[in-house]
Amino acid sequence: MTTKPSNVGLDRGIYSSPFDAFTNYMNILGDFMSRVNSLYPESIDNDELNALLTTIRNQGDEIQRKDLEITRLQAKVEKMQAEEDKLHAKLDKVIEGPKKAAAKKAAPKTKKAEK
């Protein structure tokens, strides 16, 4: 759109005059603005806006509740795993006890048999 002369020997544009370039620019800008306005209207009904805000608020509350529930369940899982580990240790002691006793009883018999 410039009318200033340049030292470069190239033609500056595809338009025959600055007015034609400006007209095309304004048409493009007007089309862009109408597309933006159709996607994002300037005015929204208060009822529609309130409904959207309520939905957003409810989703935020639900996310907080879910986070608390996740934390509670993770603590419960950790507690159950600790109890399971204790039971495994107790079970191992119960199983090892008779094996050791049987091994002690079997060991003297084998020693007497060897003599």
Side-chain angles (χ1 to χ4, degrees), residues 3 27 33 35 41-43 60-61 68 78 82 90-91 108 111:
T3 57
N27 288 336
M33 289 175 63
R35 288 181 186 204
E42 290 180 14
S43 63
D61 293 344
L68 290 174
E78 289 173 2
K90 197 174 190 180
L91 182 63
K111 287 182 182 178

Side-chain angles (χ1 to χ4, degrees), residues 19-39:
F19 179 76
D20 291 338
F22 179 75
T23 303
N24 189 42
Y25 169 75
M26 291 306 291
N27 288 336
I28 291 171
L29 185 61
D31 181 58
F32 175 74
M33 289 175 63
S34 67
R35 288 181 186 204
V36 168
N37 287 335
S38 69
L39 291 174

Side-chain angles (χ1 to χ4, degrees), residues 39-85:
L39 291 174
Y40 306 103
E42 290 180 14
S43 63
I44 297 177
D45 292 338
N46 283 337
D47 294 336
E48 184 179 353
L49 183 60
N50 287 335
L52 291 173
L53 290 174
T54 302
T55 301
I56 291 169
R57 191 176 310 110
N58 290 341
Q59 288 176 345
D61 293 344
E62 185 176 349
I63 289 171
Q64 286 178 344
R65 283 194 305 270
K66 298 281 185 191
D67 288 342
L68 290 174
E69 185 177 356
I70 287 170
T71 304
R72 183 184 62 82
L73 290 174
Q74 285 174 339
K76 189 174 181 178
V77 165
E78 289 173 2
K79 183 179 177 182
M80 291 175 74
Q81 286 176 341
E83 289 177 8
E84 181 182 2
D85 291 342

